[in-house]
Amino acid sequence: MTPIPGPFIVLALPLLAAALVFLVRRWATPAALLSATVTGALAILCLRLPLDRSAFVLGQEVAFGRPVVIVGRTLTLEPAGQAWLAFGFALATILFLVAGRVSQGPFFFPISLAVLSLYGFIALLRSLTLATIVLAISATLVVFIIRRERSDPVRGAERYLVVALLAVPLIMAAVWMVDQSALEPARAALARTALVPAALGFGLLLAAIPFSMWLPALTVDAPPLVSAFVLTISQGMAIYLMVTFVASNPAAGNMPAVPATAQLVGLLMAAFCGLLAAVQRDWGRLFGYAALSSLGYFLLAWGTGSSHSLTLALLHMLNRAVAITLVAAALAILRQRAAGDDFGRLRSVARRLPVATAGLVLGCLALAGFPFTAGFPTHWAVLRAIVSGEWAWVEVIPAWSAGLILLAGLVGISVGVLRGLGAMLGDEPRPDLPNQPRIASALVLALAVLATVVGFYPQLFLGLAQAMF
Amino acid sequence: MDTFSDILSFMAGLPSLIGLILAAAIIFLSADWRLALGALVVQYILVGMALSPSVQQEVVIVKILAGVLAAVILYLSTRLIPRTPEPEAAGGTRHFLRLHIDWSAGPLGLPLRFLAVLLVALGVLRLFQNYQPTLVPTDLALAACWMGGMGLLGLVLSGDPLRVAPAALTILAGFDLAYAGLDQNLAVAGFFGALTLLAALGFSYLILVPAFRTSQAGPDNRREPGE
């Protein structure tokens, strides 16, 4: 019997599940269970199956690394793509399980599965140009699940769609320049020129300063688990494309300006967005700015320039994903039970929703890099690297000043969290609020435990991070 | 097919360049969504014509079809929005052939939008003073830059999905104008066409959702689309 090729499974299974889930979309529990089962199974396959030989799964022979030719294009799963898909499918499984108990809209499951199939396609494609277009196509689908129940429901979705579309020409132009420089030695300078559109394009997708404003708008407008999907899996795919682009462009490794720019933008994001988090009046915006500040540390880690910088950056991305999922799950409960997340309307909510409150506080502190949380080890490593001399702007901003600026970001998020927590405390009885949902709260607790475990045992995801490039 | 080729080869070059510049300017300047979407259709046809000497005819047709379909999707979505009575009756706005031509219609007001167009024109001309057409022919590069500039202005000056959609599609079409000749990969052309269509679908959803929420909330908050 012919073994089933891996690319076929990665592409077809989520799509097939999307079609089935669409039929049962009104029943959240079966839709969530079906979606989570499929993505969980795919995550396990991506983590366990070898690429160099066949393996048997439920009595069926599967050749996970076997290439497939579709319309003249060879689709192959490389080890790095396999690791990225494992990350995406595993995280989607958690999001689906939570969404089964806290509704995120009837289309969350089918559209997320369709988008995951597109991400699988991106991981299988060898052409960065096509992968970029497919990433933008996935963004056009995500727009349909970014909905809010308040007055201005399309701003976040519109901004997300626009940045995804604007990034396409920039990245395609950059990839074309790199290809040309490799084909014709006379055009070698194009590889350096390509870094400008590439920085702009990936900066848009990653919401790097000065293109950050779409992300807080998204976390305000979108259901929290949709925000988490975009902030972790979608931005993860953008990072995957960025890592692939950098690996394909020799100029990116040779120019000191590249890590220096990443460091400067990262420092600005970590500090500025952290300080902005201090003055927010709702958890949605606070979540957005805390996630942005944490993304700044990703750029800082990537820009440190040491031999382990990419590992550190990707490890930070994975730990950050845990924190973001925790905040999103807690925020989903809060929005559902308290009918909003404005600080002004949350008096005494902590008494009725203690697990969600604890999840929000712990998750946001993890995004800030607070000790004993998932964010701390990588934040600390970045801080130490900068203070110990791996700081490119030392003539403009002394290393210790950069460290203090970073600490200001941490303080900003912590102040925002304390303000939010203060707004949720109180002794007034709130009979209008329903009790906390048991299963969803149990999931939040499990995520909180994971976020704490990662804080003490940061190498938990080290193997996955090293496999991602 | 020969007649079609003759038309394409006649229109490629200066006529399509002038048409593209005008179409992109109209999309930005117009306060009326029908005029803007009409200009978007013309723009996609002209992009196809401008590309016809350097790109396969089948690809040109696919590009034109994808663009025109995207404009049709936006048009049909906008037609579904529940509308107020004609603003003339409500008081004030001037019309010509049922199109809004009032100076204050649309974002920023028409005089300031003209000024913005003038600034972009000066910027593009300055950019092209030392341009050497090694990669992209000068006329295509000029039109692409102009479309990119107009599209960016449109994105900056309005948050209304009905104005943002043509602006974003103008940027994509401008890029396609410059890029299609450089990379003639059929898969890229096909996926880019699919992206254009799906982007239009996404924007049409964004146009419709708030409009229907407003109509459910009551008639007092209704407005003319695109304003």
Side-chain angles (χ1 to χ4, degrees):
Chain A
M1 193 182 227
T2 316
I4 302 175
F8 181 75
I9 295 173
V10 165
L11 287 177
L13 209 54
L15 268 187
L16 190 66
L20 289 174
V21 166
F22 182 78
L23 297 175
V24 295
R25 65 188 181 281
R26 297 284 170 199
W27 297 282
T29 305
L33 286 177
L34 180 58
S35 308
T37 306
V38 168
T39 50
L42 283 166
I44 291 168
L45 291 180
C46 288
L47 283 171
R48 309 289 292 181
L49 289 190
L51 292 178
D52 55 348
R53 60 185 185 276
S54 311
F56 282 90
V57 179
L58 301 173
Q60 176 66 49
E61 192 179 4
V62 175
F64 218 55
R66 183 173 161 183
V68 171
V69 179
I70 298 178
V71 202
R73 298 235 144 231
T74 306
L75 305 178
T76 320
L77 198 55
E78 303 286 344
Q82 189 183 19
W84 281 95
L85 286 182
F87 160 69
F89 287 132
L91 208 55
T93 308
I94 299 171
L95 295 177
F96 289 150
L97 287 174
V98 180
R101 307 311 301 171
V102 190
S103 174
Q104 303 294 294
F107 296 105
F108 175 62
F109 299 111
I111 288 185
S112 300
L113 283 166
V115 169
L116 284 170
S117 176
L118 287 175
Y119 291 162
F121 191 38
I122 290 172
L124 295 169
L125 280 168
R126 287 180 177 180
S127 160
L128 256 178
T129 305
L130 285 183
T132 305
I133 301 175
V134 175
L135 189 68
I137 286 176
S138 72
T140 64
L141 293 183
V142 171
V143 162
F144 289 90
I145 49 175
I146 301 176
R147 291 195 332 184
R148 202 187 68 158
E149 55 290 340
R150 279 179 267 175
S151 59
D152 187 10
V154 299
R155 194 184 48 169
E158 184 187 277
R159 288 186 184 178
Y160 178 59
L161 180 57
V162 166
V163 295
L165 293 177
L166 286 182
V168 169
L170 293 164
I171 299 174
M172 282 173 71
V175 172
W176 181 84
M177 287 178 191
V178 173
D179 289 347
Q180 288 302 306
S181 70
L183 287 173
E184 296 177 44
R187 289 179 176 175
L190 276 177
R192 281 200 303 276
T193 313
L195 294 173
V196 176
L200 293 173
F202 290 117
L204 279 164
L205 290 176
L206 295 181
I209 279 181
F211 310 115
S212 302
M213 286 306 114
W214 66 266
L215 205 148
L218 181 92
T219 53
V220 171
D221 284 357
L225 298 177
V226 176
S227 298
F229 188 91
V230 173
L231 291 175
T232 54
I233 306 174
S234 303
Q235 284 200 326
M237 289 317 292
I239 291 172
Y240 167 69
L241 289 186
M242 189 173 77
V243 170
T244 313
F245 174 80
V246 169
S248 72
N249 186 359
N254 300 334
M255 287 185 70
V258 175
T261 307
Q263 279 195 343
L264 186 63
V265 173
L267 180 79
L268 288 175
M269 280 178 77
F272 186 61
C273 297
L275 289 172
L276 280 177
V279 294
Q280 301 309 312
R281 292 180 180 177
D282 61 71
W283 281 105
R285 281 199 177 79
L286 176 54
F287 174 31
Y289 283 111
L292 270 175
S293 174
S294 178
L295 197 64
Y297 276 88
F298 168 83
L299 292 175
L300 275 167
W302 187 52
T304 51
S306 70
S307 56
H308 300 299
S309 61
L310 191 52
T311 308
L312 178 62
L314 292 173
L315 185 63
H316 175 70
M317 187 204 73
L318 294 173
N319 292 353
R320 173 181 176 264
V322 173
I324 284 176
T325 311
L326 171 61
V327 178
L331 187 57
I333 294 175
L334 182 72
R335 280 192 184 167
Q336 189 202 48
R337 298 285 155 146
D341 61 359
D342 293 343
F343 291 169
R345 295 165 58 186
L346 296 178
R347 193 90 201 135
S348 301
V349 166
R351 276 168 63 96
R352 300 288 284 191
L353 303 171
V355 175
T357 306
L360 274 174
V361 171
L362 183 65
C364 285
L365 289 179
L367 286 174
F370 214 74
F372 312 119
T373 64
F376 177 70
T378 48
H379 279 71
W380 180 248
V382 169
L383 202 59
R384 279 196 60 176
I386 284 174
V387 174
S388 65
E390 290 184 44
W391 171 241
W393 299 86
V394 71
E395 289 175 9
V396 185
I397 308 169
W400 61 269
S401 301
L404 283 179
I405 291 171
L406 284 177
L407 285 178
L410 185 153
V411 171
I413 298 174
S414 304
V415 168
V417 170
L418 285 176
R419 286 182 61 237
L421 182 63
M424 294 173 82
L425 295 175
D427 294 330
E428 297 163 24
R430 291 288 303 266
D432 56 311
L433 291 181
N435 287 327
Q436 56 186 354
R438 286 180 190 165
I439 298 176
S441 299
L443 289 166
V444 169
L445 266 181
L447 283 167
V449 169
L450 180 62
T452 313
V453 167
V454 171
F456 287 100
Y457 187 64
Q459 58 271 48
L460 187 66
F461 299 125
L462 188 60
L464 186 61
Q466 285 170 333
M468 283 176 149
F469 60 96
Chain B
M1 205 62 173
D2 287 344
T3 316
F4 184 67
S5 306
D6 292 342
I7 294 171
L8 286 182
S9 53
F10 171 72
M11 287 297 291
L14 195 62
S16 60
L17 176 69
I18 293 170
L20 282 170
I21 287 171
L22 286 176
I26 288 169
I27 289 170
F28 173 69
L29 288 171
S30 167
D32 193 283
W33 62 273
R34 285 157 289 202
L35 195 57
L37 292 183
L40 189 65
V41 169
V42 172
Q43 181 176 272
Y44 274 113
I45 294 170
L46 291 172
V47 165
M49 289 175 168
L51 287 175
S52 60
S54 54
V55 178
Q56 291 177 45
Q57 276 195 11
E58 291 80 2
V59 176
V60 167
I61 292 169
V62 167
K63 284 183 186 298
I64 293 175
L65 276 178
V68 171
L69 275 175
V72 169
I73 288 168
L74 291 173
Y75 175 81
L76 292 176
S77 309
T78 315
R79 291 285 295 174
L80 288 174
I81 298 175
R83 262 164 288 165
T84 48
E86 284 299 310
E88 263 181 339
T93 315
R94 280 181 293 169
H95 286 76
F96 175 70
L97 295 174
R98 298 181 65 199
L99 304 175
H100 296 194
I101 56 164
D102 197 73
W103 284 93
S104 59
L108 210 65
L110 197 55
L112 283 175
R113 291 209 299 277
F114 264 117
L115 188 63
V117 169
L118 192 66
L119 288 174
V120 171
L122 289 173
V124 171
L125 286 176
R126 177 74 186 83
L127 195 69
F128 274 80
Q129 271 182 350
N130 301 320
Y131 182 77
Q132 292 176 346
T134 50
L135 299 172
V136 183
T138 310
D139 54 343
L140 293 188
L142 181 70
C145 276
W146 175 258
M147 289 163 73
M150 288 291 104
L152 278 178
L153 267 185
L155 289 182
V156 168
L157 293 186
S158 178
D160 186 336
L162 192 49
R163 294 193 72 88
V164 169
L169 291 176
T170 299
I171 293 174
L172 286 186
F175 171 73
D176 201 17
L177 188 65
Y179 188 81
L182 300 175
D183 185 351
Q184 305 217 3
N185 190 320
L186 286 179
V188 172
F191 274 95
F192 204 85
L195 175 64
T196 304
L197 284 175
L198 284 167
L201 268 179
F203 279 120
S204 70
Y205 172 75
L206 297 179
I207 289 166
L208 284 174
V209 167
F212 278 109
R213 291 235 170 113
T214 310
S215 72
Q216 284 163 5
D220 294 344
N221 297 327
R222 291 178 191 178
R223 59 184 175 75
E224 180 69 9
E227 287 189 350

mmCIF file with all atom_site columns, all heavy atoms in Angstrom, chain A residues 403-416:
data_model
loop_
_atom_site.group_PDB
_atom_site.id
_atom_site.type_symbol
_atom_site.label_atom_id
_atom_site.label_alt_id
_atom_site.label_comp_id
_atom_site.label_asym_id
_atom_site.label_entity_id
_atom_site.label_seq_id
_atom_site.pdbx_PDB_ins_code
_atom_site.Cartn_x
_atom_site.Cartn_y
_atom_site.Cartn_z
_atom_site.occupancy
_atom_site.B_iso_or_equiv
_atom_site.pdbx_formal_charge
_atom_site.auth_seq_id
_atom_site.auth_comp_id
_atom_site.auth_asym_id
_atom_site.auth_atom_id
_atom_site.pdbx_PDB_model_num
ATOM 1  N N   . GLY A 1 403 ? 19.208 49.107 29.904 1.00 0.00 ? 403 GLY A N   1
ATOM 2  C CA  . GLY A 1 403 ? 18.612 48.198 30.884 1.00 0.00 ? 403 GLY A CA  1
ATOM 3  C C   . GLY A 1 403 ? 17.539 48.883 31.710 1.00 0.00 ? 403 GLY A C   1
ATOM 4  O O   . GLY A 1 403 ? 16.465 48.332 31.952 1.00 0.00 ? 403 GLY A O   1
ATOM 5  N N   . LEU A 1 404 ? 17.812 50.130 32.104 1.00 0.00 ? 404 LEU A N   1
ATOM 6  C CA  . LEU A 1 404 ? 16.817 50.875 32.892 1.00 0.00 ? 404 LEU A CA  1
ATOM 7  C C   . LEU A 1 404 ? 15.562 51.168 32.057 1.00 0.00 ? 404 LEU A C   1
ATOM 8  O O   . LEU A 1 404 ? 14.437 51.107 32.568 1.00 0.00 ? 404 LEU A O   1
ATOM 9  C CB  . LEU A 1 404 ? 17.428 52.190 33.391 1.00 0.00 ? 404 LEU A CB  1
ATOM 10 C CG  . LEU A 1 404 ? 18.384 52.077 34.568 1.00 0.00 ? 404 LEU A CG  1
ATOM 11 C CD1 . LEU A 1 404 ? 18.925 53.450 34.951 1.00 0.00 ? 404 LEU A CD1 1
ATOM 12 C CD2 . LEU A 1 404 ? 17.678 51.449 35.769 1.00 0.00 ? 404 LEU A CD2 1
ATOM 13 N N   . ILE A 1 405 ? 15.789 51.477 30.776 1.00 0.00 ? 405 ILE A N   1
ATOM 14 C CA  . ILE A 1 405 ? 14.640 51.752 29.894 1.00 0.00 ? 405 ILE A CA  1
ATOM 15 C C   . ILE A 1 405 ? 13.762 50.500 29.790 1.00 0.00 ? 405 ILE A C   1
ATOM 16 O O   . ILE A 1 405 ? 12.532 50.576 29.825 1.00 0.00 ? 405 ILE A O   1
ATOM 17 C CB  . ILE A 1 405 ? 15.140 52.208 28.502 1.00 0.00 ? 405 ILE A CB  1
ATOM 18 C CG1 . ILE A 1 405 ? 15.783 53.592 28.601 1.00 0.00 ? 405 ILE A CG1 1
ATOM 19 C CG2 . ILE A 1 405 ? 14.001 52.248 27.492 1.00 0.00 ? 405 ILE A CG2 1
ATOM 20 C CD1 . ILE A 1 405 ? 16.504 54.036 27.347 1.00 0.00 ? 405 ILE A CD1 1
ATOM 21 N N   . LEU A 1 406 ? 14.425 49.356 29.695 1.00 0.00 ? 406 LEU A N   1
ATOM 22 C CA  . LEU A 1 406 ? 13.658 48.100 29.628 1.00 0.00 ? 406 LEU A CA  1
ATOM 23 C C   . LEU A 1 406 ? 12.881 47.863 30.926 1.00 0.00 ? 406 LEU A C   1
ATOM 24 O O   . LEU A 1 406 ? 11.723 47.435 30.905 1.00 0.00 ? 406 LEU A O   1
ATOM 25 C CB  . LEU A 1 406 ? 14.596 46.922 29.369 1.00 0.00 ? 406 LEU A CB  1
ATOM 26 C CG  . LEU A 1 406 ? 15.107 46.784 27.943 1.00 0.00 ? 406 LEU A CG  1
ATOM 27 C CD1 . LEU A 1 406 ? 16.083 45.625 27.848 1.00 0.00 ? 406 LEU A CD1 1
ATOM 28 C CD2 . LEU A 1 406 ? 13.958 46.559 26.981 1.00 0.00 ? 406 LEU A CD2 1
ATOM 29 N N   . LEU A 1 407 ? 13.528 48.159 32.049 1.00 0.00 ? 407 LEU A N   1
ATOM 30 C CA  . LEU A 1 407 ? 12.841 47.982 33.337 1.00 0.00 ? 407 LEU A CA  1
ATOM 31 C C   . LEU A 1 407 ? 11.630 48.906 33.433 1.00 0.00 ? 407 LEU A C   1
ATOM 32 O O   . LEU A 1 407 ? 10.615 48.556 34.043 1.00 0.00 ? 407 LEU A O   1
ATOM 33 C CB  . LEU A 1 407 ? 13.810 48.247 34.484 1.00 0.00 ? 407 LEU A CB  1
ATOM 34 C CG  . LEU A 1 407 ? 14.829 47.138 34.732 1.00 0.00 ? 407 LEU A CG  1
ATOM 35 C CD1 . LEU A 1 407 ? 15.774 47.520 35.854 1.00 0.00 ? 407 LEU A CD1 1
ATOM 36 C CD2 . LEU A 1 407 ? 14.130 45.829 35.089 1.00 0.00 ? 407 LEU A CD2 1
ATOM 37 N N   . ALA A 1 408 ? 11.734 50.079 32.792 1.00 0.00 ? 408 ALA A N   1
ATOM 38 C CA  . ALA A 1 408 ? 10.589 51.003 32.796 1.00 0.00 ? 408 ALA A CA  1
ATOM 39 C C   . ALA A 1 408 ? 9.384  50.354 32.113 1.00 0.00 ? 408 ALA A C   1
ATOM 40 O O   . ALA A 1 408 ? 8.239  50.529 32.547 1.00 0.00 ? 408 ALA A O   1
ATOM 41 C CB  . ALA A 1 408 ? 10.970 52.301 32.083 1.00 0.00 ? 408 ALA A CB  1
ATOM 42 N N   . GLY A 1 409 ? 9.647  49.606 31.051 1.00 0.00 ? 409 GLY A N   1
ATOM 43 C CA  . GLY A 1 409 ? 8.553  48.886 30.381 1.00 0.00 ? 409 GLY A CA  1
ATOM 44 C C   . GLY A 1 409 ? 7.904  47.880 31.301 1.00 0.00 ? 409 GLY A C   1
ATOM 45 O O   . GLY A 1 409 ? 6.676  47.771 31.373 1.00 0.00 ? 409 GLY A O   1
ATOM 46 N N   . LEU A 1 410 ? 8.742  47.136 32.034 1.00 0.00 ? 410 LEU A N   1
ATOM 47 C CA  . LEU A 1 410 ? 8.220  46.139 32.990 1.00 0.00 ? 410 LEU A CA  1
ATOM 48 C C   . LEU A 1 410 ? 7.361  46.831 34.055 1.00 0.00 ? 410 LEU A C   1
ATOM 49 O O   . LEU A 1 410 ? 6.258  46.380 34.375 1.00 0.00 ? 410 LEU A O   1
ATOM 50 C CB  . LEU A 1 410 ? 9.392  45.403 33.632 1.00 0.00 ? 410 LEU A CB  1
ATOM 51 C CG  . LEU A 1 410 ? 9.092  44.250 34.578 1.00 0.00 ? 410 LEU A CG  1
ATOM 52 C CD1 . LEU A 1 410 ? 10.240 43.259 34.587 1.00 0.00 ? 410 LEU A CD1 1
ATOM 53 C CD2 . LEU A 1 410 ? 8.843  44.695 36.005 1.00 0.00 ? 410 LEU A CD2 1
ATOM 54 N N   . VAL A 1 411 ? 7.879  47.959 34.553 1.00 0.00 ? 411 VAL A N   1
ATOM 55 C CA  . VAL A 1 411 ? 7.138  48.693 35.584 1.00 0.00 ? 411 VAL A CA  1
ATOM 56 C C   . VAL A 1 411 ? 5.807  49.186 35.012 1.00 0.00 ? 411 VAL A C   1
ATOM 57 O O   . VAL A 1 411 ? 4.762  49.122 35.675 1.00 0.00 ? 411 VAL A O   1
ATOM 58 C CB  . VAL A 1 411 ? 7.993  49.873 36.110 1.00 0.00 ? 411 VAL A CB  1
ATOM 59 C CG1 . VAL A 1 411 ? 7.172  50.787 37.006 1.00 0.00 ? 411 VAL A CG1 1
ATOM 60 C CG2 . VAL A 1 411 ? 9.198  49.342 36.864 1.00 0.00 ? 411 VAL A CG2 1
ATOM 61 N N   . GLY A 1 412 ? 5.842  49.659 33.764 1.00 0.00 ? 412 GLY A N   1
ATOM 62 C CA  . GLY A 1 412 ? 4.610  50.167 33.135 1.00 0.00 ? 412 GLY A CA  1
ATOM 63 C C   . GLY A 1 412 ? 3.527  49.101 33.087 1.00 0.00 ? 412 GLY A C   1
ATOM 64 O O   . GLY A 1 412 ? 2.381  49.339 33.481 1.00 0.00 ? 412 GLY A O   1
ATOM 65 N N   . ILE A 1 413 ? 3.878  47.918 32.615 1.00 0.00 ? 413 ILE A N   1
ATOM 66 C CA  . ILE A 1 413 ? 2.880  46.843 32.538 1.00 0.00 ? 413 ILE A CA  1
ATOM 67 C C   . ILE A 1 413 ? 2.407  46.465 33.938 1.00 0.00 ? 413 ILE A C   1
ATOM 68 O O   . ILE A 1 413 ? 1.202  46.270 34.174 1.00 0.00 ? 413 ILE A O   1
ATOM 69 C CB  . ILE A 1 413 ? 3.455  45.609 31.813 1.00 0.00 ? 413 ILE A CB  1
ATOM 70 C CG1 . ILE A 1 413 ? 3.831  45.971 30.376 1.00 0.00 ? 413 ILE A CG1 1
ATOM 71 C CG2 . ILE A 1 413 ? 2.425  44.473 31.789 1.00 0.00 ? 413 ILE A CG2 1
ATOM 72 C CD1 . ILE A 1 413 ? 4.534  44.866 29.624 1.00 0.00 ? 413 ILE A CD1 1
ATOM 73 N N   . SER A 1 414 ? 3.338  46.408 34.889 1.00 0.00 ? 414 SER A N   1
ATOM 74 C CA  . SER A 1 414 ? 2.959  46.042 36.259 1.00 0.00 ? 414 SER A CA  1
ATOM 75 C C   . SER A 1 414 ? 1.984  47.060 36.837 1.00 0.00 ? 414 SER A C   1
ATOM 76 O O   . SER A 1 414 ? 1.010  46.687 37.506 1.00 0.00 ? 414 SER A O   1
ATOM 77 C CB  . SER A 1 414 ? 4.199  45.951 37.146 1.00 0.00 ? 414 SER A CB  1
ATOM 78 O OG  . SER A 1 414 ? 5.114  45.050 36.578 1.00 0.00 ? 414 SER A OG  1
ATOM 79 N N   . VAL A 1 415 ? 2.225  48.342 36.559 1.00 0.00 ? 415 VAL A N   1
ATOM 80 C CA  . VAL A 1 415 ? 1.304  49.380 37.043 1.00 0.00 ? 415 VAL A CA  1
ATOM 81 C C   . VAL A 1 415 ? -0.074 49.184 36.403 1.00 0.00 ? 415 VAL A C   1
ATOM 82 O O   . VAL A 1 415 ? -1.113 49.262 37.078 1.00 0.00 ? 415 VAL A O   1
ATOM 83 C CB  . VAL A 1 415 ? 1.866  50.788 36.721 1.00 0.00 ? 415 VAL A CB  1
ATOM 84 C CG1 . VAL A 1 415 ? 0.807  51.864 36.934 1.00 0.00 ? 415 VAL A CG1 1
ATOM 85 C CG2 . VAL A 1 415 ? 3.081  51.072 37.580 1.00 0.00 ? 415 VAL A CG2 1
ATOM 86 N N   . GLY A 1 416 ? -0.081 48.913 35.105 1.00 0.00 ? 416 GLY A N   1
ATOM 87 C CA  . GLY A 1 416 ? -1.355 48.665 34.418 1.00 0.00 ? 416 GLY A CA  1
ATOM 88 C C   . GLY A 1 416 ? -2.097 47.483 35.031 1.00 0.00 ? 416 GLY A C   1
ATOM 89 O O   . GLY A 1 416 ? -3.313 47.543 35.248 1.00 0.00 ? 416 GLY A O   1
#
